[in-house]
Amino acid sequence: MERLHALGGGEFAPTSTYLNTAVCGLLPRRTVRAVTRLAEELAAGRPGGSGESGAVDATRRSFARLAGVDEGRVALGGSVSVHVGLIAASMPPGAEVLFPEGEYASVITPFTVRGDLKLRYAPLDTLAEAVRPGTALVALSSVQSADGRIADMVAVRSAAAAHGARTLLDASQSAGWLPLRAGEWDYTVTGGFKFLLCPRGVSFLTVTEEAQAELVPMHAGTFAAERLWETTYGPIDELAHSARRYDEPPAFLAYHGGEQSLALLEEIGADAVHAHVVALARRFRAGLVSLGHDPVPGDSAIVAVPGLGGRAAGLAAAGIVVSARAGHLRAAFHLYNTGEDVDRALERIGPR
């Protein structure tokens, strides 16, 4: 059987068989050093304020390259739910929003709390067919959190375009291992603390120029100004001409780390990461089948086994970190995982 070595060199040193990136990615050593350095400076009385805008700008540029869009299309924040909330607030009363059944709560709830929108749900496999005249927005995750299924994104975009609906894609469970072409969507949102290996507090929103015309920067503050620091008091008279007008004030500790994490992913390359994680997941699925289990099929880096969610605690006690979601045992593979990790997990899971 092919040996699959970890990518990333000496950047990672997990003390467990860590198969839980769908919950939280491991931080590279360079990221830990950057966060620690800034924290120590802040403890000592840093003269330059709470962080460097250069690190924030570098993080934006790096994500833009990974997402295949111009940096002027990228807004920064701290969480997916805030980005989605901004989009939800822009919807006119009575607008219809379509979701897959079982979609992650942060994609749905900002719309439900409005109370004046029409919300519909359809199975993921038939989501494209459920788009109809009058659908204003289709919102979905590229990879489902509960079971790792990959959406038919081409079909959904085609159906939305045919009916004049906008599209919102949550790439939190895919960006970093599955190529992201953010320019194909009206909006994308991505939490950086999973497969992008950033500290929590790094999150990305992309917006097409057409969608920007309708999206009001409701939480605009100092960082949303076209000329930073020239309008510190009183109302900002000129908001940023780019998607930066949707920025939240950056959590500098997280973004100092995020700069380093995304740089590492760029150095390794998206194609190399994708090939590595898909090979590991295929090996794991094949091993599960040989043991008599029935994993959710597909070519996702996230592998779910229905009915085995109760085994997660026992695996953790054996040093194998996975998660339980919707009754499934869920394992998620990334660049720091190896073939030995797969084999160790399979041995511990054992026959059906």
Side-chain angles (χ1 to χ4, degrees), residues 222-242:
T222 305
F223 288 89
E226 173 64 18
R227 298 178 302 279
L228 290 175
W229 311 120
E230 291 186 21
T231 311
T232 308
Y233 304 102
I236 295 171
D237 57 6
E238 186 179 10
L239 293 174
H241 301 163
S242 68

Side-chain angles (χ1 to χ4, degrees), residues 87-89 91-97 110-119:
I87 297 164
M91 303 293 292
E96 179 181 287
V97 186
F111 295 95
T112 65
V113 297
R114 276 281 305 265
D116 60 353
L117 300 175
K118 183 176 183 179
L119 309 182

Side-chain angles (χ1 to χ4, degrees), residues 141-234:
S141 295
S142 47
V143 174
Q144 287 293 298
S145 171
D147 57 19
R149 287 178 298 155
I150 301 175
D152 187 344
M153 291 175 274
V154 173
V156 170
R157 286 198 310 273
S158 177
H163 293 289
R166 292 207 182 277
T167 53
L168 164 60
L169 184 77
D170 181 356
S172 298
Q173 294 289 14
S174 64
W177 72 267
L178 186 67
L180 172 61
R181 291 179 283 273
E184 298 176 344
W185 304 86
D186 293 291
Y187 311 102
T188 73
V189 293
T190 307
F193 65 97
K194 298 178 186 289
F195 292 90
L196 291 178
L197 309 175
C198 298
R200 187 150 193 158
V202 174
S203 189
F204 305 95
L205 165 70
T206 71
V207 192
T208 62
E209 291 183 4
E210 294 79 8
Q212 287 182 34
E214 302 174 2
L215 191 63
V216 178
M218 299 185 67
H219 50 59
T222 305
F223 288 89
E226 173 64 18
R227 298 178 302 279
L228 290 175
W229 311 120
E230 291 186 21
T231 311
T232 308
Y233 304 102

Side-chain angles (χ1 to χ4, degrees), residues 306-334:
L308 289 190
R311 302 279 294 277
L315 287 166
I320 301 168
V321 185
V322 293
S323 52
R325 291 293 186 274
H328 307 325
L329 179 73
R330 187 185 69 176
F333 299 92
H334 205 8

